[in-house]
Amino acid sequence: MHRHFILFKPYGYLSQFIYELKRKKKLLGELHNFPEGTMAIGRLDEDSEGLLLLTTDGKVSEQIRSKKVDKEYYVQVDGIITPEAIEQLQKGVEIGFEGGKYKTKPCTAFIVTEIPDFGPRAKKIRDERHGPTSWASITVNEGKFRQVRKMTAAVGFPTLRLVRVRIGNVYLQNLKAGEVLEVNDFQIND
């Protein structure tokens, strides 16, 4: 009987259970007593937060990764993001990828006017003395390395905080950082 989990991955954790290198890293197994064989479906960088799906079923993991599933991120950026920058993101921007250049596919992006209540991040971002910040939503269905961060930097608004809020039709809901919810299945197909 396979088991499935929805997790709000906190800042500073790796999206994995085993880390072979010498440095001490925070791993997912420290957050919950997951059954043996649990794997993360996809990943979030150590300094990214938000929705992570976990399963003991390799087939489910493969299905979700192989489909071009929409992933929505809320990004807090340095400065007040402009409608022009949002439009550039929507059309696709050029980012560096594997030593070359890559143009991102058109995506959905908009300015988030109400500040999301994700709670404070484990590591303080910075204070308002460094100038204003703003939030945007970016939905992509491709996952190049650090793509969303590279996209906001490409339009002149570096990402300060990145939180994944949705994968397909699975939402972060009201989970707080580090909370885990066990579900019967993901019903990822829209």
Side-chain angles (χ1 to χ4, degrees):
M1 188 63 189
H2 284 293
R3 294 173 66 188
H4 313 286
F5 304 89
I6 295 173
L7 163 70
F8 185 142
K9 186 189 93 60
Y11 176 89
Y13 281 77
L14 296 181
S15 295
Q16 58 201 60
F17 289 91
I18 299 167
Y19 184 72
E20 300 294 349
L21 301 175
K22 292 277 185 278
R23 287 180 309 181
K24 183 80 179 100
K25 294 285 187 179
K26 293 182 188 166
L27 305 175
L28 298 178
E30 298 170 37
L31 297 171
H32 184 78
N33 188 10
F34 292 107
E36 199 174 321
T38 301
M39 64 193 92
I41 302 174
R43 56 188 338 137
L44 283 169
D45 298 327
E46 188 173 359
D47 51 1
S48 299
E49 308 162 71
L51 181 62
L52 195 60
L53 306 180
L54 301 128
T55 183
T56 57
D57 187 347
K59 278 201 188 92
V60 168
S61 175
E62 196 51 46
Q63 283 168 350
I64 293 173
R65 281 202 326 267
S66 67
K67 284 197 200 82
K68 294 293 179 208
V69 177
D70 280 350
K71 294 170 197 77
E72 183 177 3
Y73 299 86
Y74 274 20
V75 288
Q76 182 180 18
V77 297
D78 190 357
I80 303 299
I81 196 162
T82 61
E84 294 76 24
I86 292 289
E87 194 178 325
Q88 284 178 284
L89 292 169
Q90 290 168 341
K91 290 178 176 166
V93 294
E94 198 172 87
I95 61 173
F97 179 65
E98 293 181 346
K101 296 279 184 212
Y102 175 79
K103 184 162 186 212
T104 60
K105 294 189 173 83
C107 71
T108 304
F110 58 87
I111 295 170
V112 175
T113 50
E114 203 171 301
I115 295 172
D117 179 21
F118 295 125
R121 193 174 77 173
K123 179 177 171 226
K124 191 159 173 20
I125 293 166
R126 54 167 207 169
D127 61 41
E128 292 302 316
R129 288 181 308 212
H130 294 97
T133 66
S134 57
W135 287 84
S137 162
I138 299 175
T139 301
V140 295
N141 60 14
E142 50 181 346
K144 302 285 182 251
F145 182 66
R146 297 178 80 80
Q147 177 174 338
V148 172
R149 290 174 187 280
K150 289 177 179 179
M151 287 169 69
T152 68
V155 296
F157 294 91
T159 294
L160 301 171
R161 186 176 186 186
L162 185 143
V163 182
R164 183 160 59 198
V165 295
R166 180 173 68 84
I167 299 172
N169 51 9
V170 179
Y171 287 84
L172 191 54
Q173 300 163 23
N174 294 321
L175 288 179
K176 297 283 175 236
E179 284 185 344
V180 176
L181 179 67
E182 187 161 359
V183 293
N184 292 330
D185 58 45
F186 296 123
Q187 299 177 328
I188 211 88
N189 305 343
D190 290 321

Short mmCIF file of all heavy atoms in Angstrom, two decimals, residues 3-61:
data_model
loop_
_atom_site.label_atom_id
_atom_site.label_comp_id
_atom_site.label_asym_id
_atom_site.label_seq_id
_atom_site.Cartn_x
_atom_site.Cartn_y
_atom_site.Cartn_z
N ARG A 3 2.02 5.24 0.00
CA ARG A 3 1.61 6.42 0.76
C ARG A 3 2.10 7.69 0.07
O ARG A 3 3.14 7.69 -0.58
CB ARG A 3 2.14 6.32 2.19
CG ARG A 3 1.48 5.15 2.94
CD ARG A 3 2.09 4.91 4.29
NE ARG A 3 1.85 6.03 5.21
CZ ARG A 3 2.42 6.11 6.42
NH1 ARG A 3 3.25 5.18 6.84
NH2 ARG A 3 2.17 7.14 7.19
N HIS A 4 1.31 8.75 0.22
CA HIS A 4 1.58 10.02 -0.47
C HIS A 4 1.46 11.17 0.52
O HIS A 4 0.57 11.18 1.36
CB HIS A 4 0.57 10.22 -1.61
CG HIS A 4 0.39 9.00 -2.48
ND1 HIS A 4 1.33 8.59 -3.39
CD2 HIS A 4 -0.61 8.10 -2.53
CE1 HIS A 4 0.90 7.49 -3.99
NE2 HIS A 4 -0.27 7.17 -3.48
N PHE A 5 2.34 12.15 0.35
CA PHE A 5 2.39 13.27 1.29
C PHE A 5 2.53 14.59 0.56
O PHE A 5 3.16 14.67 -0.49
CB PHE A 5 3.60 13.13 2.23
CG PHE A 5 3.64 11.82 2.97
CD1 PHE A 5 4.28 10.72 2.41
CD2 PHE A 5 3.04 11.69 4.21
CE1 PHE A 5 4.32 9.51 3.08
CE2 PHE A 5 3.08 10.48 4.90
CZ PHE A 5 3.72 9.38 4.33
N ILE A 6 1.94 15.63 1.14
CA ILE A 6 2.13 17.00 0.69
C ILE A 6 2.91 17.69 1.80
O ILE A 6 2.55 17.59 2.98
CB ILE A 6 0.77 17.69 0.49
CG1 ILE A 6 0.00 17.02 -0.66
CG2 ILE A 6 0.95 19.18 0.21
CD1 ILE A 6 -1.42 17.53 -0.81
N LEU A 7 3.97 18.40 1.43
CA LEU A 7 4.86 19.01 2.42
C LEU A 7 5.08 20.47 2.07
O LEU A 7 5.22 20.81 0.89
CB LEU A 7 6.21 18.26 2.40
CG LEU A 7 7.43 18.93 3.05
CD1 LEU A 7 7.30 18.99 4.55
CD2 LEU A 7 8.71 18.19 2.67
N PHE A 8 5.12 21.32 3.08
CA PHE A 8 5.61 22.69 2.90
C PHE A 8 7.08 22.63 3.26
O PHE A 8 7.45 22.62 4.43
CB PHE A 8 4.85 23.66 3.83
CG PHE A 8 5.21 25.13 3.61
CD1 PHE A 8 4.23 26.09 3.70
CD2 PHE A 8 6.51 25.55 3.34
CE1 PHE A 8 4.54 27.45 3.52
CE2 PHE A 8 6.83 26.89 3.16
CZ PHE A 8 5.82 27.85 3.24
N LYS A 9 7.93 22.54 2.23
CA LYS A 9 9.37 22.46 2.49
C LYS A 9 9.87 23.80 3.01
O LYS A 9 9.71 24.82 2.35
CB LYS A 9 10.15 22.09 1.22
CG LYS A 9 11.64 21.85 1.52
CD LYS A 9 12.49 21.70 0.28
CE LYS A 9 13.12 22.98 -0.19
NZ LYS A 9 14.03 23.68 0.73
N PRO A 10 10.47 23.79 4.21
CA PRO A 10 10.98 25.06 4.72
C PRO A 10 12.28 25.46 4.04
O PRO A 10 12.95 24.64 3.42
CB PRO A 10 11.25 24.77 6.20
CG PRO A 10 10.80 23.38 6.46
CD PRO A 10 10.66 22.69 5.13
N TYR A 11 12.62 26.73 4.19
CA TYR A 11 13.89 27.25 3.73
C TYR A 11 15.02 26.48 4.41
O TYR A 11 14.92 26.11 5.58
CB TYR A 11 13.98 28.74 4.13
CG TYR A 11 15.30 29.37 3.78
CD1 TYR A 11 15.49 29.96 2.54
CD2 TYR A 11 16.33 29.39 4.70
CE1 TYR A 11 16.70 30.54 2.22
CE2 TYR A 11 17.56 29.98 4.39
CZ TYR A 11 17.73 30.55 3.14
OH TYR A 11 18.93 31.12 2.82
N GLY A 12 16.10 26.20 3.68
CA GLY A 12 17.28 25.61 4.29
C GLY A 12 17.31 24.09 4.32
O GLY A 12 18.23 23.51 4.87
N TYR A 13 16.31 23.44 3.72
CA TYR A 13 16.30 21.98 3.66
C TYR A 13 16.57 21.53 2.23
O TYR A 13 16.13 22.18 1.29
CB TYR A 13 14.93 21.42 4.09
CG TYR A 13 14.75 21.40 5.58
CD1 TYR A 13 14.47 22.56 6.29
CD2 TYR A 13 14.89 20.22 6.30
CE1 TYR A 13 14.33 22.55 7.66
CE2 TYR A 13 14.74 20.20 7.67
CZ TYR A 13 14.47 21.36 8.35
OH TYR A 13 14.32 21.34 9.71
N LEU A 14 17.27 20.40 2.10
CA LEU A 14 17.45 19.79 0.78
C LEU A 14 16.22 18.93 0.48
O LEU A 14 15.64 18.36 1.39
CB LEU A 14 18.71 18.91 0.76
CG LEU A 14 20.05 19.62 0.97
CD1 LEU A 14 21.19 18.60 0.89
CD2 LEU A 14 20.27 20.70 -0.06
N SER A 15 15.87 18.81 -0.80
CA SER A 15 14.72 17.99 -1.21
C SER A 15 15.12 16.52 -1.31
O SER A 15 14.87 15.87 -2.32
CB SER A 15 14.18 18.46 -2.56
OG SER A 15 13.68 19.76 -2.45
N GLN A 16 15.78 16.01 -0.30
CA GLN A 16 16.24 14.62 -0.34
C GLN A 16 16.37 14.07 1.06
O GLN A 16 16.30 14.81 2.04
CB GLN A 16 17.56 14.52 -1.12
CG GLN A 16 18.67 15.37 -0.54
CD GLN A 16 19.76 15.66 -1.55
OE1 GLN A 16 19.50 16.26 -2.58
NE2 GLN A 16 20.98 15.26 -1.25
N PHE A 17 16.56 12.76 1.13
CA PHE A 17 16.63 12.08 2.42
C PHE A 17 18.05 11.69 2.79
O PHE A 17 18.36 11.47 3.95
CB PHE A 17 15.74 10.82 2.41
CG PHE A 17 14.28 11.17 2.41
CD1 PHE A 17 13.59 11.33 1.23
CD2 PHE A 17 13.61 11.38 3.60
CE1 PHE A 17 12.25 11.67 1.23
CE2 PHE A 17 12.27 11.73 3.62
CZ PHE A 17 11.58 11.88 2.43
N ILE A 18 18.91 11.58 1.77
CA ILE A 18 20.29 11.15 2.02
C ILE A 18 21.21 12.19 1.39
O ILE A 18 20.95 12.66 0.27
CB ILE A 18 20.56 9.77 1.38
CG1 ILE A 18 19.63 8.73 1.99
CG2 ILE A 18 22.01 9.36 1.57
CD1 ILE A 18 19.59 7.42 1.22
N TYR A 19 22.26 12.56 2.10
CA TYR A 19 23.23 13.50 1.56
C TYR A 19 24.60 12.93 1.86
O TYR A 19 24.98 12.77 3.02
CB TYR A 19 23.03 14.88 2.24
CG TYR A 19 23.93 15.96 1.68
CD1 TYR A 19 23.70 16.48 0.42
CD2 TYR A 19 24.98 16.47 2.43
CE1 TYR A 19 24.50 17.49 -0.09
CE2 TYR A 19 25.79 17.48 1.92
CZ TYR A 19 25.54 17.98 0.66
OH TYR A 19 26.34 18.97 0.16
N GLU A 20 25.33 12.59 0.80
CA GLU A 20 26.57 11.82 0.96
C GLU A 20 27.79 12.67 1.32
O GLU A 20 28.76 12.17 1.83
CB GLU A 20 26.89 11.06 -0.34
CG GLU A 20 25.81 10.08 -0.78
CD GLU A 20 25.64 8.91 0.18
OE1 GLU A 20 26.47 8.73 1.08
OE2 GLU A 20 24.64 8.18 0.03
N LEU A 21 27.73 13.96 1.05
CA LEU A 21 28.93 14.78 1.28
C LEU A 21 29.12 15.07 2.75
O LEU A 21 28.23 14.87 3.57
CB LEU A 21 28.84 16.07 0.46
CG LEU A 21 28.72 15.82 -1.06
CD1 LEU A 21 28.50 17.12 -1.80
CD2 LEU A 21 29.95 15.11 -1.59
N LYS A 22 30.28 15.58 3.09
CA LYS A 22 30.65 15.74 4.50
C LYS A 22 29.83 16.80 5.24
O LYS A 22 29.49 16.63 6.39
CB LYS A 22 32.13 16.12 4.60
CG LYS A 22 33.07 15.00 4.18
CD LYS A 22 33.29 14.02 5.34
CE LYS A 22 34.30 12.96 4.99
NZ LYS A 22 33.75 11.85 4.23
N ARG A 23 29.54 17.92 4.56
CA ARG A 23 28.87 19.01 5.27
C ARG A 23 27.50 18.59 5.78
O ARG A 23 26.79 17.84 5.12
CB ARG A 23 28.70 20.22 4.35
CG ARG A 23 30.01 20.94 4.11
CD ARG A 23 29.80 22.10 3.23
NE ARG A 23 29.07 21.66 2.04
CZ ARG A 23 28.73 22.43 1.03
NH1 ARG A 23 29.04 23.68 1.05
NH2 ARG A 23 28.08 21.97 0.00
N LYS A 24 27.13 19.07 6.94
CA LYS A 24 25.84 18.72 7.54
C LYS A 24 24.75 19.55 6.85
O LYS A 24 24.82 20.76 6.80
CB LYS A 24 25.89 19.04 9.04
CG LYS A 24 24.64 18.67 9.80
CD LYS A 24 24.61 17.17 10.12
CE LYS A 24 23.36 16.81 10.90
NZ LYS A 24 22.31 16.21 10.13
N LYS A 25 23.78 18.86 6.31
CA LYS A 25 22.66 19.53 5.66
C LYS A 25 21.36 19.06 6.31
O LYS A 25 21.26 17.94 6.79
CB LYS A 25 22.61 19.17 4.16
CG LYS A 25 23.79 19.70 3.37
CD LYS A 25 23.66 21.18 3.14
CE LYS A 25 24.72 21.73 2.21
NZ LYS A 25 24.59 23.15 1.98
N LYS A 26 20.34 19.92 6.27
CA LYS A 26 19.03 19.54 6.78
C LYS A 26 18.29 18.77 5.69
O LYS A 26 18.19 19.23 4.56
CB LYS A 26 18.23 20.78 7.16
CG LYS A 26 18.80 21.53 8.34
CD LYS A 26 17.89 22.72 8.64
CE LYS A 26 18.49 23.63 9.67
NZ LYS A 26 17.79 24.92 9.71
N LEU A 27 17.76 17.60 6.06
CA LEU A 27 17.11 16.72 5.09
C LEU A 27 15.63 16.54 5.44
O LEU A 27 15.21 16.77 6.58
CB LEU A 27 17.82 15.36 5.07
CG LEU A 27 19.34 15.42 4.80
CD1 LEU A 27 19.96 14.05 4.92
CD2 LEU A 27 19.61 16.00 3.41
N LEU A 28 14.86 16.09 4.46
CA LEU A 28 13.41 15.96 4.64
C LEU A 28 13.02 15.03 5.78
O LEU A 28 12.01 15.25 6.44
CB LEU A 28 12.76 15.48 3.33
CG LEU A 28 12.92 16.41 2.12
CD1 LEU A 28 12.28 15.78 0.90
CD2 LEU A 28 12.31 17.77 2.40
N GLY A 29 13.81 13.99 6.00
CA GLY A 29 13.48 13.02 7.04
C GLY A 29 13.43 13.62 8.44
O GLY A 29 12.83 13.04 9.34
N GLU A 30 14.03 14.80 8.60
CA GLU A 30 14.00 15.46 9.91
C GLU A 30 12.66 16.11 10.19
O GLU A 30 12.36 16.50 11.32
CB GLU A 30 15.09 16.54 9.98
CG GLU A 30 16.50 15.99 9.84
CD GLU A 30 17.53 17.10 9.67
OE1 GLU A 30 17.38 18.16 10.29
OE2 GLU A 30 18.49 16.89 8.90
N LEU A 31 11.81 16.25 9.17
CA LEU A 31 10.55 16.96 9.32
C LEU A 31 9.39 16.06 9.73
O LEU A 31 8.38 16.53 10.24
CB LEU A 31 10.19 17.65 7.99
CG LEU A 31 11.17 18.72 7.52
CD1 LEU A 31 10.84 19.15 6.11
CD2 LEU A 31 11.16 19.91 8.47
N HIS A 32 9.50 14.76 9.43
CA HIS A 32 8.35 13.87 9.63
C HIS A 32 8.87 12.43 9.62
O HIS A 32 9.91 12.16 9.02
CB HIS A 32 7.37 14.08 8.46
CG HIS A 32 6.09 13.31 8.56
ND1 HIS A 32 5.05 13.71 9.37
CD2 HIS A 32 5.67 12.19 7.93
CE1 HIS A 32 4.05 12.85 9.24
NE2 HIS A 32 4.41 11.93 8.37
N ASN A 33 8.14 11.54 10.24
CA ASN A 33 8.54 10.14 10.23
C ASN A 33 7.98 9.48 8.97
O ASN A 33 6.96 8.79 9.02
CB ASN A 33 8.02 9.45 11.51
CG ASN A 33 8.56 8.05 11.63
OD1 ASN A 33 9.45 7.64 10.89
ND2 ASN A 33 8.00 7.30 12.55
N PHE A 34 8.63 9.73 7.84
CA PHE A 34 8.17 9.17 6.56
C PHE A 34 8.48 7.68 6.50
O PHE A 34 9.49 7.23 7.05
CB PHE A 34 8.88 9.87 5.39
CG PHE A 34 8.49 11.30 5.21
CD1 PHE A 34 9.37 12.32 5.54
CD2 PHE A 34 7.25 11.64 4.70
CE1 PHE A 34 9.03 13.65 5.38
CE2 PHE A 34 6.89 12.97 4.53
CZ PHE A 34 7.78 13.98 4.87
N PRO A 35 7.61 6.89 5.81
CA PRO A 35 7.92 5.46 5.66
C PRO A 35 9.16 5.25 4.79
O PRO A 35 9.52 6.12 3.99
CB PRO A 35 6.67 4.90 4.99
CG PRO A 35 5.97 6.05 4.38
CD PRO A 35 6.35 7.27 5.17
N GLU A 36 9.77 4.11 4.95
CA GLU A 36 10.94 3.76 4.15
C GLU A 36 10.56 3.78 2.67
O GLU A 36 9.46 3.40 2.30
CB GLU A 36 11.42 2.36 4.53
CG GLU A 36 12.86 2.10 4.11
CD GLU A 36 13.37 0.77 4.62
OE1 GLU A 36 13.05 0.41 5.78
OE2 GLU A 36 14.07 0.10 3.85
N GLY A 37 11.47 4.27 1.84
CA GLY A 37 11.22 4.30 0.40
C GLY A 37 10.51 5.55 -0.07
O GLY A 37 10.16 5.66 -1.25
N THR A 38 10.28 6.50 0.82
CA THR A 38 9.63 7.75 0.40
C THR A 38 10.61 8.57 -0.43
O THR A 38 11.79 8.66 -0.12
CB THR A 38 9.19 8.58 1.63
OG1 THR A 38 8.29 7.79 2.41
CG2 THR A 38 8.49 9.87 1.21
N MET A 39 10.10 9.13 -1.53
CA MET A 39 10.94 9.96 -2.41
C MET A 39 10.22 11.26 -2.72
O MET A 39 8.99 11.30 -2.76
CB MET A 39 11.26 9.22 -3.70
CG MET A 39 10.03 8.94 -4.55
SD MET A 39 10.32 7.75 -5.88
CE MET A 39 9.87 6.24 -5.04
N ALA A 40 10.99 12.32 -2.92
CA ALA A 40 10.42 13.59 -3.34
C ALA A 40 10.18 13.53 -4.85
O ALA A 40 11.00 12.99 -5.59
CB ALA A 40 11.38 14.73 -3.00
N ILE A 41 9.04 14.06 -5.29
CA ILE A 41 8.75 14.15 -6.72
C ILE A 41 9.23 15.52 -7.18
O ILE A 41 8.65 16.54 -6.82
CB ILE A 41 7.25 13.99 -6.99
CG1 ILE A 41 6.75 12.65 -6.43
CG2 ILE A 41 6.96 14.10 -8.48
CD1 ILE A 41 5.25 12.46 -6.53
N GLY A 42 10.29 15.54 -7.92
CA GLY A 42 10.89 16.82 -8.29
C GLY A 42 11.64 17.37 -7.08
O GLY A 42 11.82 16.67 -6.09
N ARG A 43 12.05 18.62 -7.16
CA ARG A 43 12.81 19.16 -6.03
C ARG A 43 12.64 20.66 -5.95
O ARG A 43 12.20 21.31 -6.89
CB ARG A 43 14.28 18.79 -6.15
CG ARG A 43 14.92 19.22 -7.44
CD ARG A 43 16.34 18.67 -7.62
NE ARG A 43 16.97 18.30 -6.39
CZ ARG A 43 17.68 17.19 -6.22
NH1 ARG A 43 17.82 16.37 -7.22
NH2 ARG A 43 18.26 16.93 -5.08
N LEU A 44 13.01 21.17 -4.80
CA LEU A 44 13.11 22.61 -4.59
C LEU A 44 14.53 22.85 -4.08
O LEU A 44 15.02 22.07 -3.26
CB LEU A 44 12.10 23.08 -3.54
CG LEU A 44 10.64 23.23 -3.97
CD1 LEU A 44 9.75 23.44 -2.75
CD2 LEU A 44 10.47 24.37 -4.96
N ASP A 45 15.17 23.91 -4.52
CA ASP A 45 16.50 24.24 -4.02
C ASP A 45 16.49 24.42 -2.52
O ASP A 45 15.45 24.71 -1.93
CB ASP A 45 16.99 25.55 -4.64
CG ASP A 45 17.11 25.48 -6.15
OD1 ASP A 45 17.43 24.39 -6.65
OD2 ASP A 45 16.88 26.50 -6.80
N GLU A 46 17.65 24.32 -1.93
CA GLU A 46 17.79 24.49 -0.49
C GLU A 46 17.20 25.82 -0.02
O GLU A 46 16.57 25.90 1.03
CB GLU A 46 19.29 24.43 -0.13
CG GLU A 46 19.59 24.39 1.33
CD GLU A 46 21.08 24.18 1.62
OE1 GLU A 46 21.88 24.03 0.67
OE2 GLU A 46 21.43 24.16 2.80
N ASP A 47 17.38 26.87 -0.82
CA ASP A 47 16.88 28.19 -0.40
C ASP A 47 15.51 28.52 -0.96
O ASP A 47 15.06 29.66 -0.89
CB ASP A 47 17.91 29.29 -0.74
CG ASP A 47 18.36 29.23 -2.19
OD1 ASP A 47 17.88 28.37 -2.95
OD2 ASP A 47 19.20 30.05 -2.59
N SER A 48 14.82 27.53 -1.52
CA SER A 48 13.44 27.72 -1.96
C SER A 48 12.52 26.99 -0.99
O SER A 48 12.93 26.07 -0.30
CB SER A 48 13.25 27.17 -3.37
OG SER A 48 14.09 27.86 -4.27
N GLU A 49 11.27 27.43 -0.98
CA GLU A 49 10.31 26.89 -0.02
C GLU A 49 9.06 26.45 -0.75
O GLU A 49 8.86 26.74 -1.92
CB GLU A 49 9.89 27.97 0.98
CG GLU A 49 11.01 28.70 1.67
CD GLU A 49 10.50 30.01 2.27
OE1 GLU A 49 9.77 29.94 3.26
OE2 GLU A 49 10.84 31.06 1.73
N GLY A 50 8.18 25.78 0.00
CA GLY A 50 6.85 25.56 -0.51
C GLY A 50 6.52 24.12 -0.82
O GLY A 50 7.10 23.19 -0.26
N LEU A 51 5.58 23.96 -1.74
CA LEU A 51 4.93 22.69 -2.01
C LEU A 51 5.89 21.65 -2.58
O LEU A 51 6.54 21.88 -3.60
CB LEU A 51 3.78 22.91 -2.98
CG LEU A 51 2.95 21.70 -3.36
CD1 LEU A 51 2.26 21.09 -2.14
CD2 LEU A 51 1.91 22.08 -4.41
N LEU A 52 5.97 20.53 -1.89
CA LEU A 52 6.76 19.40 -2.37
C LEU A 52 5.89 18.16 -2.18
O LEU A 52 5.29 17.98 -1.12
CB LEU A 52 8.05 19.29 -1.55
CG LEU A 52 9.16 18.39 -2.09
CD1 LEU A 52 9.64 18.86 -3.46
CD2 LEU A 52 10.34 18.37 -1.12
N LEU A 53 5.78 17.36 -3.23
CA LEU A 53 5.02 16.12 -3.14
C LEU A 53 5.98 14.98 -2.88
O LEU A 53 7.06 14.93 -3.46
CB LEU A 53 4.26 15.86 -4.46
CG LEU A 53 3.36 16.99 -4.95
CD1 LEU A 53 2.67 16.59 -6.25
CD2 LEU A 53 2.32 17.37 -3.91
N LEU A 54 5.58 14.07 -1.99
CA LEU A 54 6.41 12.90 -1.67
C LEU A 54 5.57 11.65 -1.81
O LEU A 54 4.36 11.68 -1.53
CB LEU A 54 6.94 13.01 -0.24
CG LEU A 54 7.78 14.26 0.01
CD1 LEU A 54 7.26 15.00 1.22
CD2 LEU A 54 9.21 13.89 0.22
N THR A 55 6.19 10.56 -2.23
CA THR A 55 5.45 9.32 -2.42
C THR A 55 6.36 8.13 -2.21
O THR A 55 7.59 8.25 -2.30
CB THR A 55 4.84 9.27 -3.84
OG1 THR A 55 4.05 8.08 -3.97
CG2 THR A 55 5.92 9.26 -4.92
N THR A 56 5.75 6.99 -1.92
CA THR A 56 6.52 5.73 -1.89
C THR A 56 6.36 5.00 -3.23
O THR A 56 6.89 3.91 -3.40
CB THR A 56 6.02 4.82 -0.75
OG1 THR A 56 4.62 4.57 -0.94
CG2 THR A 56 6.26 5.44 0.61
N ASP A 57 5.61 5.59 -4.17
CA ASP A 57 5.30 4.94 -5.44
C ASP A 57 6.09 5.56 -6.58
O ASP A 57 5.80 6.66 -7.03
CB ASP A 57 3.79 5.07 -5.71
CG ASP A 57 3.33 4.29 -6.93
OD1 ASP A 57 4.19 3.84 -7.72
OD2 ASP A 57 2.11 4.11 -7.08
N GLY A 58 7.09 4.83 -7.05
CA GLY A 58 7.94 5.32 -8.14
C GLY A 58 7.16 5.61 -9.41
O GLY A 58 7.51 6.52 -10.16
N LYS A 59 6.09 4.84 -9.68
CA LYS A 59 5.28 5.07 -10.90
C LYS A 59 4.61 6.43 -10.85
O LYS A 59 4.60 7.15 -11.84
CB LYS A 59 4.20 3.98 -11.02
CG LYS A 59 4.69 2.67 -11.63
CD LYS A 59 3.48 1.89 -12.18
CE LYS A 59 3.89 0.51 -12.63
NZ LYS A 59 3.74 -0.49 -11.56
N VAL A 60 4.05 6.77 -9.70
CA VAL A 60 3.39 8.07 -9.55
C VAL A 60 4.42 9.18 -9.73
O VAL A 60 4.17 10.17 -10.42
CB VAL A 60 2.72 8.18 -8.15
CG1 VAL A 60 2.29 9.62 -7.86
CG2 VAL A 60 1.52 7.26 -8.08
N SER A 61 5.58 9.01 -9.14
CA SER A 61 6.64 9.98 -9.25
C SER A 61 6.99 10.21 -10.72
O SER A 61 7.07 11.35 -11.19
CB SER A 61 7.87 9.50 -8.49
OG SER A 61 8.95 10.36 -8.67
#
